[in-house]
Amino acid sequence: MSIAPLAGGVFVLLLAASAVPAQAQPAQQPVPPRAQGAVPQPPPSRGKLLYETHCITCHTSKMHWRDGRIVRDWLGLVEQVRRWQDTDKLQWSDADIVEVARYLNDAIYRLPKPAPA
């Protein structure tokens, strides 16, 4: 048996297989390449989400930087967040109030926080 007839048969078989239509495959979405050195950002904090949902309309960053601001320390910041969420009847939990105060402190005020008891 020679190799030539075997090779010709394989060629015919491959040619016949290519004539049969392939089943439709779902198109795969290309995955965009990640920028070199880019680090994925963590999701926004609960405090940031609450603040941006309920407070940012009236309390722009200028509100926090004005000369007459009331907040002078961490506890004062927590009390102001509590006051305004009460005024707007938001019914936030104590944890939510602290989360919003933490977000504001990290983003704007940078006040020292008391050590946990």
Side-chain angles (χ1 to χ4, degrees):
M1 183 163 149
S2 74
I3 297 178
L6 181 59
V10 171
F11 176 73
V12 171
L13 185 59
L14 288 175
L15 186 59
S18 67
V20 176
Q23 291 181 335
Q25 296 291 325
Q28 293 185 3
Q29 297 295 323
V31 177
R34 180 185 277 176
Q36 189 172 13
V39 177
Q41 296 297 312
S45 70
R46 179 163 176 78
K48 180 177 182 176
L49 292 173
L50 287 168
Y51 184 80
E52 288 180 350
T53 301
H54 299 285
C55 310
I56 198 74
T57 305
C58 299
H59 292 267
T60 65
S61 62
K62 290 179 184 176
M63 170 64 108
H64 301 286
W65 288 108
R66 73 187 197 281
D67 290 337
R69 76 178 186 190
I70 298 169
V71 172
R72 300 287 179 216
D73 59 23
W74 170 252
L75 294 176
L77 177 56
V78 171
E79 279 309 307
Q80 286 303 309
V81 171
R82 183 179 312 283
R83 173 183 168 221
W84 285 106
Q85 73 83 34
D86 280 343
T87 299
D88 285 352
K89 300 177 181 18
L90 297 174
Q91 299 181 341
W92 288 348
S93 67
D94 288 341
D96 288 342
I97 292 166
V98 169
E99 283 298 312
V100 172
R102 183 177 293 131
Y103 163 69
L104 288 171
N105 195 44
D106 291 346
I108 298 169
Y109 291 95
R110 310 222 188 270
L111 301 164
K113 295 180 224 173

